[in-house]
Amino acid sequence: MAYKITSQCISCNLCLSVCPTGAIKIVEGQHWIDSELCTNCVGSIHTMPQCKAGCPTCDGCVKQPSNYWEGWFTNYNHVVAKLTNKQDYWERWFNCYSQKYFEQLQKRQPQSVGSEAYVK
Ligand code: SF4
Ligand code: SF4
């Protein structure tokens, strides 16, 4: 299942009517997505998950991470993006880091060639 309904849900019932597969149910007063029925809206006329798209709350319906680390990175990226105002923080960081690393390698190249010559 890719989406889940959280405690932020205000029970407006909007998602119940828009879900093309009838995957959203109410169990003991709580809205819940049946993973057997949810198709992530793939293969329907919709281009995005309707439960998430129509939800009036911020996090009432959220993408469910498929594993622990995916969830961890999603949360972490969310926090970093909030703090830095940059969605692509890690991409920039990696580009900058690899550029610096490359420059350092280039600087070291003549030394290693020289030391190889010394060993011979
Ligand atoms: S992702 Fe689509 S199919 Fe799945 S629960 Fe949401 S609206 Fe229904
Ligand atoms: S649309 Fe959002 S707030 Fe409304 S019932 Fe569904 S999950 Fe809850």
Side-chain angles (χ1 to χ4, degrees):
M1 178 170 67
Y3 287 85
K4 72 171 182 178
I5 293 174
T6 71
S7 59
Q8 300 299 310
C9 170
I10 56 170
S11 301
C12 72
N13 289 339
L14 193 71
C15 54
L16 284 170
S17 57
V18 294
C19 175
T21 64
I24 302 170
K25 301 170 189 278
I26 302 174
V27 177
E28 293 176 0
Q30 302 285 312
H31 288 68
W32 169 76
I33 296 177
D34 185 343
S35 60
E36 298 288 316
L37 296 175
C38 174
T39 59
N40 301 334
C41 288
V42 172
S44 70
I45 56 166
H46 306 295
T47 53
M48 60 175 57
Q50 292 302 287
C51 51
K52 166 87 178 145
C55 182
T57 69
C58 236
D59 292 320
C61 182
V62 295
K63 190 161 191 201
Q64 168 120 303
S66 58
N67 65 44
Y68 175 81
W69 287 113
E70 191 182 333
W72 190 90
F73 276 110
T74 302
N75 285 340
Y76 196 72
N77 282 335
H78 190 60
V79 171
V80 168
K82 256 185 168 175
L83 290 174
T84 62
N85 253 344
K86 291 179 185 134
Q87 293 295 332
D88 56 351
Y89 178 85
W90 289 114
E91 196 180 327
R92 284 162 176 252
W93 181 89
F94 183 75
N95 288 342
C96 182
Y97 181 83
S98 48
Q99 178 65 35
K100 297 269 183 219
Y101 189 68
F102 180 70
E103 285 167 11
Q104 288 298 319
L105 277 181
Q106 279 191 323
K107 277 186 197 165
R108 284 173 173 251
Q109 201 116 17
Q111 284 176 2
S112 56
V113 170
S115 60
E116 276 173 26
Y118 181 74
V119 170
K120 287 178 187 174

